[in-house]
mmCIF file of all heavy atoms in Angstrom:
data_model
loop_
_atom_site.group_PDB
_atom_site.id
_atom_site.type_symbol
_atom_site.label_atom_id
_atom_site.label_comp_id
_atom_site.label_asym_id
_atom_site.label_seq_id
_atom_site.Cartn_x
_atom_site.Cartn_y
_atom_site.Cartn_z
ATOM 1 N N MET A 142 16.980 9.099 -18.779
ATOM 2 C CA MET A 142 17.039 7.734 -19.613
ATOM 3 C C MET A 142 18.500 7.464 -19.932
ATOM 4 O O MET A 142 18.987 6.411 -19.839
ATOM 5 C CB MET A 142 16.178 7.903 -20.878
ATOM 6 C CG MET A 142 16.147 6.643 -21.555
ATOM 7 S SD MET A 142 15.408 6.900 -23.288
ATOM 8 C CE MET A 142 16.769 7.915 -24.058
ATOM 9 N N GLU A 143 19.183 8.643 -20.470
ATOM 10 C CA GLU A 143 20.550 8.315 -20.762
ATOM 11 C C GLU A 143 21.488 8.045 -19.618
ATOM 12 O O GLU A 143 22.375 7.120 -19.699
ATOM 13 C CB GLU A 143 21.112 9.656 -21.441
ATOM 14 C CG GLU A 143 20.579 10.005 -22.794
ATOM 15 C CD GLU A 143 20.983 9.059 -23.832
ATOM 16 O OE1 GLU A 143 21.911 8.300 -23.666
ATOM 17 O OE2 GLU A 143 20.209 8.988 -24.890
ATOM 18 N N GLN A 144 21.173 8.653 -18.508
ATOM 19 C CA GLN A 144 21.864 8.327 -17.187
ATOM 20 C C GLN A 144 21.662 6.741 -16.840
ATOM 21 O O GLN A 144 22.600 6.166 -16.432
ATOM 22 C CB GLN A 144 21.565 9.232 -16.109
ATOM 23 C CG GLN A 144 22.138 10.693 -16.311
ATOM 24 C CD GLN A 144 21.632 11.638 -15.369
ATOM 25 O OE1 GLN A 144 20.797 11.263 -14.444
ATOM 26 N NE2 GLN A 144 22.060 12.923 -15.511
ATOM 27 N N GLY A 145 20.396 6.404 -16.981
ATOM 28 C CA GLY A 145 20.045 4.962 -16.588
ATOM 29 C C GLY A 145 20.760 4.015 -17.509
ATOM 30 O O GLY A 145 21.224 2.984 -17.088
ATOM 31 N N VAL A 146 20.784 4.433 -18.839
ATOM 32 C CA VAL A 146 21.537 3.501 -19.744
ATOM 33 C C VAL A 146 23.049 3.450 -19.334
ATOM 34 O O VAL A 146 23.643 2.275 -19.453
ATOM 35 C CB VAL A 146 21.385 3.884 -21.190
ATOM 36 C CG1 VAL A 146 22.178 3.172 -22.165
ATOM 37 C CG2 VAL A 146 19.912 3.779 -21.510
ATOM 38 N N GLU A 147 23.596 4.492 -19.031
ATOM 39 C CA GLU A 147 25.018 4.626 -18.678
ATOM 40 C C GLU A 147 25.332 3.811 -17.448
ATOM 41 O O GLU A 147 26.368 3.167 -17.355
ATOM 42 C CB GLU A 147 25.440 6.064 -18.425
ATOM 43 C CG GLU A 147 26.865 6.233 -18.368
ATOM 44 C CD GLU A 147 27.605 5.885 -19.691
ATOM 45 O OE1 GLU A 147 27.072 6.005 -20.737
ATOM 46 O OE2 GLU A 147 28.726 5.361 -19.562
ATOM 47 N N VAL A 148 24.400 3.775 -16.497
ATOM 48 C CA VAL A 148 24.649 2.880 -15.288
ATOM 49 C C VAL A 148 24.659 1.519 -15.572
ATOM 50 O O VAL A 148 25.458 0.653 -15.160
ATOM 51 C CB VAL A 148 23.364 3.293 -14.309
ATOM 52 C CG1 VAL A 148 23.407 2.225 -13.132
ATOM 53 C CG2 VAL A 148 23.501 4.615 -13.709
ATOM 54 N N TYR A 149 23.596 1.051 -16.487
ATOM 55 C CA TYR A 149 23.759 -0.359 -16.982
ATOM 56 C C TYR A 149 25.078 -0.757 -17.648
ATOM 57 O O TYR A 149 25.460 -1.796 -17.701
ATOM 58 C CB TYR A 149 22.450 -0.716 -17.729
ATOM 59 C CG TYR A 149 21.157 -0.792 -17.060
ATOM 60 C CD1 TYR A 149 20.129 0.203 -17.047
ATOM 61 C CD2 TYR A 149 20.962 -1.788 -16.013
ATOM 62 C CE1 TYR A 149 19.027 -0.012 -16.393
ATOM 63 C CE2 TYR A 149 19.831 -1.924 -15.304
ATOM 64 C CZ TYR A 149 18.876 -1.058 -15.426
ATOM 65 O OH TYR A 149 17.645 -1.151 -14.743
ATOM 66 N N ARG A 150 25.454 0.223 -18.525
ATOM 67 C CA ARG A 150 26.733 -0.008 -19.193
ATOM 68 C C ARG A 150 27.763 -0.122 -18.343
ATOM 69 O O ARG A 150 28.773 -1.017 -18.641
ATOM 70 C CB ARG A 150 26.926 1.264 -20.100
ATOM 71 C CG ARG A 150 28.220 1.124 -20.933
ATOM 72 C CD ARG A 150 28.429 2.193 -21.999
ATOM 73 N NE ARG A 150 27.548 2.124 -23.187
ATOM 74 C CZ ARG A 150 26.491 3.028 -23.431
ATOM 75 N NH1 ARG A 150 26.315 3.909 -22.558
ATOM 76 N NH2 ARG A 150 25.743 2.820 -24.536
ATOM 77 N N ASN A 151 27.909 0.558 -17.172
ATOM 78 C CA ASN A 151 28.917 0.397 -16.215
ATOM 79 C C ASN A 151 28.824 -0.912 -15.457
ATOM 80 O O ASN A 151 29.859 -1.399 -15.001
ATOM 81 C CB ASN A 151 28.939 1.539 -15.109
ATOM 82 C CG ASN A 151 29.227 2.965 -15.819
ATOM 83 O OD1 ASN A 151 29.929 3.006 -16.816
ATOM 84 N ND2 ASN A 151 28.727 3.959 -15.106
ATOM 85 N N PHE A 152 27.742 -1.533 -15.489
ATOM 86 C CA PHE A 152 27.523 -2.792 -14.875
ATOM 87 C C PHE A 152 28.123 -3.962 -15.893
ATOM 88 O O PHE A 152 27.947 -5.137 -15.514
ATOM 89 C CB PHE A 152 26.022 -3.121 -14.488
ATOM 90 C CG PHE A 152 25.738 -2.366 -13.264
ATOM 91 C CD1 PHE A 152 24.373 -1.906 -13.177
ATOM 92 C CD2 PHE A 152 26.485 -2.348 -12.135
ATOM 93 C CE1 PHE A 152 23.956 -1.327 -11.992
ATOM 94 C CE2 PHE A 152 26.193 -1.638 -10.986
ATOM 95 C CZ PHE A 152 24.838 -1.195 -10.848
ATOM 96 N N GLY A 153 28.515 -3.561 -17.026
ATOM 97 C CA GLY A 153 28.934 -4.586 -18.099
ATOM 98 C C GLY A 153 27.984 -5.258 -18.846
ATOM 99 O O GLY A 153 28.187 -6.215 -19.481
ATOM 100 N N ILE A 154 26.750 -4.681 -19.113
ATOM 101 C CA ILE A 154 25.783 -5.316 -19.876
ATOM 102 C C ILE A 154 26.146 -5.104 -21.310
ATOM 103 O O ILE A 154 26.639 -3.851 -21.739
ATOM 104 C CB ILE A 154 24.432 -4.590 -19.512
ATOM 105 C CG1 ILE A 154 23.921 -4.932 -18.120
ATOM 106 C CG2 ILE A 154 23.317 -5.186 -20.523
ATOM 107 C CD1 ILE A 154 22.684 -4.375 -17.811
ATOM 108 N N ALA A 155 25.963 -5.923 -22.239
ATOM 109 C CA ALA A 155 26.293 -5.995 -23.639
ATOM 110 C C ALA A 155 25.633 -4.840 -24.284
ATOM 111 O O ALA A 155 24.537 -4.521 -23.988
ATOM 112 C CB ALA A 155 25.966 -7.246 -24.245
ATOM 113 N N GLU A 156 26.358 -4.259 -25.316
ATOM 114 C CA GLU A 156 25.771 -3.145 -26.038
ATOM 115 C C GLU A 156 24.472 -3.473 -26.774
ATOM 116 O O GLU A 156 23.670 -2.717 -26.948
ATOM 117 C CB GLU A 156 26.858 -2.635 -27.051
ATOM 118 C CG GLU A 156 27.983 -1.783 -26.403
ATOM 119 C CD GLU A 156 27.539 -0.566 -25.689
ATOM 120 O OE1 GLU A 156 26.621 0.133 -26.193
ATOM 121 O OE2 GLU A 156 28.162 -0.243 -24.731
ATOM 122 N N GLN A 157 24.331 -4.660 -27.206
ATOM 123 C CA GLN A 157 23.153 -5.183 -27.966
ATOM 124 C C GLN A 157 22.010 -5.074 -27.030
ATOM 125 O O GLN A 157 20.839 -4.645 -27.487
ATOM 126 C CB GLN A 157 23.400 -6.620 -28.590
ATOM 127 C CG GLN A 157 22.263 -7.090 -29.395
ATOM 128 C CD GLN A 157 22.303 -8.448 -29.991
ATOM 129 O OE1 GLN A 157 23.501 -9.021 -29.652
ATOM 130 N NE2 GLN A 157 21.570 -8.874 -30.797
ATOM 131 N N GLU A 158 22.172 -5.574 -25.778
ATOM 132 C CA GLU A 158 21.062 -5.469 -24.838
ATOM 133 C C GLU A 158 20.786 -3.941 -24.445
ATOM 134 O O GLU A 158 19.629 -3.751 -24.254
ATOM 135 C CB GLU A 158 21.465 -6.273 -23.573
ATOM 136 C CG GLU A 158 21.463 -7.804 -23.727
ATOM 137 C CD GLU A 158 20.196 -8.338 -24.267
ATOM 138 O OE1 GLU A 158 19.260 -7.968 -23.722
ATOM 139 O OE2 GLU A 158 20.253 -9.233 -25.095
ATOM 140 N N LEU A 159 21.706 -3.199 -24.399
ATOM 141 C CA LEU A 159 21.560 -1.755 -24.057
ATOM 142 C C LEU A 159 20.833 -1.062 -25.136
ATOM 143 O O LEU A 159 19.931 -0.172 -24.818
ATOM 144 C CB LEU A 159 22.991 -1.146 -23.788
ATOM 145 C CG LEU A 159 23.718 -1.441 -22.583
ATOM 146 C CD1 LEU A 159 25.116 -0.714 -22.530
ATOM 147 C CD2 LEU A 159 22.911 -0.870 -21.330
ATOM 148 N N ALA A 160 21.082 -1.525 -26.331
ATOM 149 C CA ALA A 160 20.331 -0.896 -27.513
ATOM 150 C C ALA A 160 18.797 -1.191 -27.499
ATOM 151 O O ALA A 160 18.031 -0.314 -27.623
ATOM 152 C CB ALA A 160 20.899 -1.333 -28.858
ATOM 153 N N LYS A 161 18.538 -2.484 -27.103
ATOM 154 C CA LYS A 161 17.098 -2.841 -26.932
ATOM 155 C C LYS A 161 16.461 -2.066 -25.755
ATOM 156 O O LYS A 161 15.465 -1.645 -25.931
ATOM 157 C CB LYS A 161 17.074 -4.335 -26.710
ATOM 158 C CG LYS A 161 17.426 -5.144 -27.992
ATOM 159 C CD LYS A 161 17.299 -6.689 -27.596
ATOM 160 C CE LYS A 161 17.728 -7.553 -28.830
ATOM 161 N NZ LYS A 161 17.614 -8.947 -28.411
ATOM 162 N N MET A 162 17.143 -1.961 -24.640
ATOM 163 C CA MET A 162 16.731 -1.323 -23.500
ATOM 164 C C MET A 162 16.504 0.151 -23.762
ATOM 165 O O MET A 162 15.409 0.789 -23.513
ATOM 166 C CB MET A 162 17.687 -1.375 -22.296
ATOM 167 C CG MET A 162 17.190 -0.944 -20.988
ATOM 168 S SD MET A 162 18.508 -1.090 -19.800
ATOM 169 C CE MET A 162 18.814 -2.847 -19.764
ATOM 170 N N LYS A 163 17.459 0.709 -24.528
ATOM 171 C CA LYS A 163 17.279 2.098 -24.802
ATOM 172 C C LYS A 163 16.047 2.402 -25.705
ATOM 173 O O LYS A 163 15.284 3.369 -25.686
ATOM 174 C CB LYS A 163 18.461 2.685 -25.494
ATOM 175 C CG LYS A 163 18.478 4.283 -25.877
ATOM 176 C CD LYS A 163 19.791 4.628 -26.316
ATOM 177 C CE LYS A 163 19.815 6.180 -26.565
ATOM 178 N NZ LYS A 163 21.077 6.630 -27.033
ATOM 179 N N GLU A 164 15.917 1.425 -26.603
ATOM 180 C CA GLU A 164 14.678 1.449 -27.626
ATOM 181 C C GLU A 164 13.435 1.381 -26.841
ATOM 182 O O GLU A 164 12.456 2.237 -27.167
ATOM 183 C CB GLU A 164 14.821 0.436 -28.688
ATOM 184 C CG GLU A 164 13.714 0.477 -29.805
ATOM 185 C CD GLU A 164 13.784 -0.582 -30.773
ATOM 186 O OE1 GLU A 164 14.762 -1.323 -30.717
ATOM 187 O OE2 GLU A 164 12.891 -0.589 -31.635
ATOM 188 N N SER A 165 13.238 0.558 -25.941
ATOM 189 C CA SER A 165 12.043 0.458 -25.213
ATOM 190 C C SER A 165 11.833 1.638 -24.286
ATOM 191 O O SER A 165 10.723 2.113 -24.101
ATOM 192 C CB SER A 165 12.101 -0.895 -24.284
ATOM 193 O OG SER A 165 13.162 -0.833 -23.394
ATOM 194 N N MET A 166 12.916 2.226 -23.769
ATOM 195 C CA MET A 166 12.771 3.371 -22.996
ATOM 196 C C MET A 166 12.373 4.613 -23.752
ATOM 197 O O MET A 166 11.614 5.459 -23.269
ATOM 198 C CB MET A 166 14.163 3.725 -22.211
ATOM 199 C CG MET A 166 14.500 2.814 -21.064
ATOM 200 S SD MET A 166 16.124 3.270 -20.414
ATOM 201 C CE MET A 166 16.202 2.243 -18.889
ATOM 202 N N GLU A 167 12.893 4.724 -24.921
ATOM 203 C CA GLU A 167 12.456 5.654 -25.923
ATOM 204 C C GLU A 167 10.987 5.585 -26.272
ATOM 205 O O GLU A 167 10.284 6.634 -26.344
ATOM 206 C CB GLU A 167 13.398 5.821 -27.193
ATOM 207 C CG GLU A 167 14.722 6.195 -26.864
ATOM 208 C CD GLU A 167 15.663 6.177 -28.143
ATOM 209 O OE1 GLU A 167 15.272 5.431 -29.055
ATOM 210 O OE2 GLU A 167 16.737 6.725 -28.114
ATOM 211 N N THR A 168 10.500 4.561 -26.451
ATOM 212 C CA THR A 168 9.083 4.236 -26.795
ATOM 213 C C THR A 168 8.250 4.608 -25.607
ATOM 214 O O THR A 168 7.271 5.498 -25.769
ATOM 215 C CB THR A 168 8.851 2.797 -27.075
ATOM 216 O OG1 THR A 168 9.565 2.496 -28.109
ATOM 217 C CG2 THR A 168 7.401 2.508 -27.424
ATOM 218 N N MET A 169 8.692 4.307 -24.464
ATOM 219 C CA MET A 169 7.965 4.792 -23.144
ATOM 220 C C MET A 169 8.065 6.195 -23.045
ATOM 221 O O MET A 169 6.951 6.827 -22.642
ATOM 222 C CB MET A 169 8.593 4.075 -22.001
ATOM 223 C CG MET A 169 7.874 4.393 -20.634
ATOM 224 S SD MET A 169 6.178 3.897 -20.512
ATOM 225 C CE MET A 169 6.387 2.067 -20.582
ATOM 226 N N LEU A 170 9.154 6.825 -23.280
ATOM 227 C CA LEU A 170 9.295 8.347 -23.165
ATOM 228 C C LEU A 170 8.484 9.135 -24.181
ATOM 229 O O LEU A 170 7.736 10.029 -23.798
ATOM 230 C CB LEU A 170 10.671 8.793 -23.404
ATOM 231 C CG LEU A 170 11.137 10.173 -23.389
ATOM 232 C CD1 LEU A 170 10.725 10.679 -21.892
ATOM 233 C CD2 LEU A 170 12.618 10.424 -23.566
ATOM 234 N N ASP A 171 8.318 8.539 -25.412
ATOM 235 C CA ASP A 171 7.367 9.144 -26.378
ATOM 236 C C ASP A 171 5.988 9.074 -25.880
ATOM 237 O O ASP A 171 5.178 9.938 -26.071
ATOM 238 C CB ASP A 171 7.486 8.430 -27.604
ATOM 239 C CG ASP A 171 8.908 8.683 -28.333
ATOM 240 O OD1 ASP A 171 9.516 9.774 -28.032
ATOM 241 O OD2 ASP A 171 9.404 7.956 -29.184
ATOM 242 N N LEU A 172 5.608 7.878 -25.263
ATOM 243 C CA LEU A 172 4.236 7.699 -24.779
ATOM 244 C C LEU A 172 4.019 8.709 -23.659
ATOM 245 O O LEU A 172 2.838 9.358 -23.577
ATOM 246 C CB LEU A 172 3.963 6.268 -24.298
ATOM 247 C CG LEU A 172 2.681 5.995 -23.700
ATOM 248 C CD1 LEU A 172 1.607 6.213 -24.580
ATOM 249 C CD2 LEU A 172 2.645 4.628 -23.117
ATOM 250 N N VAL A 173 4.893 8.911 -22.762
ATOM 251 C CA VAL A 173 4.765 9.869 -21.564
ATOM 252 C C VAL A 173 4.521 11.284 -22.087
ATOM 253 O O VAL A 173 3.771 12.021 -21.577
ATOM 254 C CB VAL A 173 6.018 9.721 -20.701
ATOM 255 C CG1 VAL A 173 5.965 10.812 -19.606
ATOM 256 C CG2 VAL A 173 5.993 8.359 -19.918
ATOM 257 N N LYS A 174 5.340 11.617 -23.145
ATOM 258 C CA LYS A 174 5.143 12.920 -23.699
ATOM 259 C C LYS A 174 3.712 13.210 -24.220
ATOM 260 O O LYS A 174 3.223 14.239 -24.070
ATOM 261 C CB LYS A 174 6.134 13.217 -24.881
ATOM 262 C CG LYS A 174 7.570 13.216 -24.473
ATOM 263 C CD LYS A 174 8.523 13.417 -25.708
ATOM 264 C CE LYS A 174 9.973 13.480 -25.255
ATOM 265 N NZ LYS A 174 10.846 13.502 -26.402
ATOM 266 N N VAL A 175 3.158 12.181 -24.848
ATOM 267 C CA VAL A 175 1.824 12.244 -25.468
ATOM 268 C C VAL A 175 0.756 12.373 -24.427
ATOM 269 O O VAL A 175 -0.165 13.177 -24.447
ATOM 270 C CB VAL A 175 1.524 11.022 -26.346
ATOM 271 C CG1 VAL A 175 0.063 10.971 -26.758
ATOM 272 C CG2 VAL A 175 2.443 11.004 -27.514
ATOM 273 N N ILE A 176 0.899 11.682 -23.173
ATOM 274 C CA ILE A 176 -0.260 11.642 -22.166
ATOM 275 C C ILE A 176 0.031 12.587 -21.006
ATOM 276 O O ILE A 176 -0.530 12.455 -20.029
ATOM 277 C CB ILE A 176 -0.455 10.192 -21.787
ATOM 278 C CG1 ILE A 176 0.926 9.696 -21.108
ATOM 279 C CG2 ILE A 176 -0.757 9.238 -22.861
ATOM 280 C CD1 ILE A 176 0.642 8.343 -20.304
ATOM 281 N N LEU A 177 0.987 13.548 -21.281
ATOM 282 C CA LEU A 177 1.304 14.494 -20.201
ATOM 283 C C LEU A 177 -0.012 15.361 -19.672
ATOM 284 O O LEU A 177 -0.195 15.519 -18.491
ATOM 285 C CB LEU A 177 2.299 15.499 -20.582
ATOM 286 C CG LEU A 177 3.803 15.252 -20.236
ATOM 287 C CD1 LEU A 177 4.727 16.274 -20.730
ATOM 288 C CD2 LEU A 177 3.909 15.004 -18.696
#
Side-chain angles (χ1 to χ4, degrees):
M142 182 192 70
E143 292 293 340
Q144 290 172 359
V146 171
E147 192 61 34
V148 168
Y149 284 114
R150 181 176 284 113
N151 292 335
F152 282 143
I154 296 177
E156 287 297 325
Q157 186 177 1
E158 293 297 320
L159 285 175
K161 292 180 180 178
M162 188 182 301
K163 185 174 181 180
E164 184 180 356
S165 63
M166 286 182 175
E167 286 174 346
T168 302
M169 181 62 68
L170 182 60
D171 290 338
L172 177 62
V173 170
K174 290 177 184 177
V175 169
I176 62 173
L177 268 179

